[in-house]
């Protein structure tokens, strides 16, 4: 049976993650308070940030930026799109 968590991003009970997705205290907090759907939303947003800002997940400064954005996206008022971002046409 899958874990159920109250997702603070979506404000409802939902299926939880099966693993701690990020190292440290933030990863534990995500595991305990974020559902799979909200995590997938973050991964899509993170991919956009990496591509639009030409970030490298291996660079410590870029990882710190992504961690800050993750916290804002999942637990704060949301994260903004990069400057000049134009969504692809559907």
């Amino acid at each position: 049976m899958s874990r159920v968590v109250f997702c603070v991003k979506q404000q409802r009970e939902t299926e939880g993650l099966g693993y701690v997705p990020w190292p440290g205290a933030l990863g534990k907090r995500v595991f305990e308070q974020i559902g799979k759907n909200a995590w997938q939303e973050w991964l899509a947003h993170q991919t956009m940030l990496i591509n639009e800002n030409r970030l490298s997940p291996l660079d410590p400064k870029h990882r710190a930026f992504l961690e800050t954005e993750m916290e804002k996206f999942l637990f704060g008022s949301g994260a903004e799109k990069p400057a000049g971002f134009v969504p692809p046409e559907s």
Side-chain angles (χ1 to χ4, degrees), residues 19-86:
Y19 57 92
V20 177
W22 193 265
L26 181 57
K28 185 177 178 184
R29 186 174 171 203
V30 168
F31 180 73
E32 293 171 351
Q33 300 178 8
I34 298 297
K36 279 187 177 182
N37 291 338
W39 181 250
Q40 290 304 317
E41 290 174 17
W42 160 249
L43 291 178
H45 186 76
Q46 175 183 250
T47 300
M48 182 215 27
L49 290 173
I50 290 170
N51 291 338
E52 293 294 321
N53 294 314
R54 302 183 196 296
L55 302 178
S56 169
L58 301 177
D59 184 316
K61 290 179 185 175
H62 295 178
R63 284 185 62 87
F65 170 76
L66 290 171
E67 186 169 322
T68 300
E69 291 300 305
M70 178 196 316
E71 191 160 17
K72 287 194 298 189
F73 184 87
L74 295 173
F75 301 104
S77 59
E80 294 184 23
K81 304 268 190 257
F85 173 74
V86 178

